[in-house]
Amino acid sequence: MAIRLDGKALAAQCRAEIAERVASLKAKGVTPGLAVVLVGDNPASQIYVRNKEKACAEAGIQSFPVLLPATATQEEVLAAVENLNRDERVHGILVQLPLPKGLDERAVLAAIRPEKDADGFHPYHAGKLMVGEETVVPCTPRGILMMLKTAGIPLRGKEAVVVGRSAIVGRPMAALLLREDCTVTVCHSRTADLAFHTKRADILVVACGQPQLITGDMVKPGAAVVDVGIHRVDGHVVGDVDAASVEPVAGWLSPVPGGVGPMTIAMLLQNTVEAAEHALS
Ligand code: NDP
């Protein structure tokens, strides 16, 4: 039976350490601030934003919610970002994705000052990550790497397979694993034989947005499997991995819920605190 990669417990530890760093910043007269820009009324986005604000409050980070209607124009969204760029109380800025249709997501993300980019989605950070330099790393892959390292899973020289090539999960995950000396394969919707690749993986990170796509017969015995997906199916929360069939085969498995999700939020707080620390230095 796979060892559980308990993201919830690790995130709680991270958040306790973050709260200490916040306290030491406050002692120097700085309260870290995170602005969350939400455009429109997508119910899932509203829940994510509420969770992020709650986590900020618990860590002592001040939230600056910016709510814009679904009818907001590109210029209005860019103007809101520019206000936050100039606001000295704000150390981190996050634009909740997806933006309503008609808005240019890439242009909005690129308008965030890189020093204030709490998500690490700015092309500046993406480029630095790609060339293997230290930079702001997107929260989900950063949290996944911490889970793997904390569990003591060997990375150097191992075969890592990432299923999904999005700019927010798959691509930065692949770049991070490469930086850790894994041999990395990235699969996507046009991959000819997905199982051929997944079966070779010592480390398998699944972020394809397809409920329970990865089954036990697609996993190498003893592999570390990280399930990024989150879906509600027939009233149950499931991931991109079929946990029931993968658990007996894998060496490690992250649960859904309680795996990657809590780590993503913890890393958002960490990126914000680091931005505040840099602003002070
Ligand atoms: P995207 O929809 O942006 O990307 C999905 C990727 O998976 C694409 O690259 C796509 O390929 C690939 N893909 C789709 N179907 C298949 C398939 N059948 N076989 C192989 N690859 C496939 O998703 P995200 O990266 O944003 O998110 C992935 C999942 O993770 C979602 O379920 C999302 O809800 C979840 N998520 C969870 C987070 C958390 O904190 N727990 C944070 C972020 C995301 P192609 O490029 O060819 O279209």
Side-chain angles (χ1 to χ4, degrees):
M1 263 329 227
I3 297 169
R4 189 183 159 90
L5 290 170
D6 190 343
K8 198 173 168 191
L10 182 58
Q13 272 179 36
C14 292
R15 282 159 67 161
E17 285 165 24
I18 290 162
E20 282 176 22
R21 284 165 78 174
V22 171
S24 99
L25 279 165
K26 283 187 174 168
K28 293 175 188 148
V30 176
T31 300
L34 176 69
V36 180
V37 180
L38 175 60
V39 187
D41 43 21
N42 177 330
S45 293
Q46 285 173 332
I47 294 171
Y48 292 141
V49 167
R50 227 177 293 136
N51 288 344
K52 289 169 186 173
E53 285 171 0
K54 192 166 159 264
C56 278
E58 282 169 14
I61 295 172
Q62 197 175 353
S63 301
F64 296 89
V66 177
L67 306 176
L68 296 172
T71 52
T73 63
Q74 180 78 12
E75 288 68 31
E76 285 165 342
V77 179
L78 290 174
V81 169
E82 191 44 37
N83 276 340
L84 298 169
N85 279 339
R86 293 209 188 108
D87 189 333
E88 287 187 357
R89 299 167 304 164
V90 172
H91 302 96
I93 302 171
L94 173 162
V95 175
Q96 184 63 45
L97 303 179
L99 288 174
K101 284 207 169 61
L103 293 174
D104 181 347
E105 214 159 82
R106 286 184 187 213
V108 171
L109 295 177
I112 298 171
R113 263 177 57 190
E115 312 88 277
K116 292 196 175 192
D117 179 13
D119 263 332
F121 294 161
H122 193 286
Y124 173 83
H125 299 303
K128 294 234 315 173
L129 185 61
M130 194 46 81
V131 294
E133 286 182 18
E134 285 299 320
T135 196
V136 180
V137 174
C139 306
T140 302
R142 186 176 185 185
I144 292 170
L145 185 62
M146 189 181 279
M147 282 168 83
L148 294 170
K149 285 186 161 183
T150 306
I153 294 163
L155 299 176
R156 177 169 294 171
K158 297 295 176 185
E159 293 286 335
V161 173
V162 179
V163 184
R165 58 174 164 181
S166 74
I168 63 171
V169 188
R171 285 172 199 252
M173 188 74 246
L176 279 181
L177 290 166
L178 196 55
R179 206 162 82 176
E180 297 296 326
D181 297 327
C182 291
T183 301
V184 183
T185 303
V186 181
C187 300
H188 46 78
S189 68
R190 305 299 166 97
T191 296
D193 184 350
L194 182 62
F196 167 79
H197 297 285
T198 58
K199 271 196 270 194
R200 289 188 307 110
D202 300 306
I203 293 120
L204 177 62
V205 178
V206 191
C208 58
Q210 305 294 322
Q212 298 171 311
L213 180 73
I214 303 298
T215 46
D217 55 332
M218 298 168 79
V219 171
K220 178 176 177 179
V225 181
V226 178
D227 188 354
V228 184
I230 180 144
H231 314 272
R232 194 166 281 277
V233 175
D234 301 332
H236 297 280
V237 177
V238 299
D240 289 349
V241 171
D242 175 39
S245 64
V246 169
E247 228 174 4
V249 183
W252 293 266
L253 175 63
S254 72
V256 177
V260 174
M263 287 304 293
T264 296
I265 294 204
M267 294 302 105
L268 172 66
L269 303 179
Q270 190 149 317
N271 280 351
T272 304
V273 168
E274 285 170 2
E277 287 169 349
H278 287 147
L280 194 64
S281 63

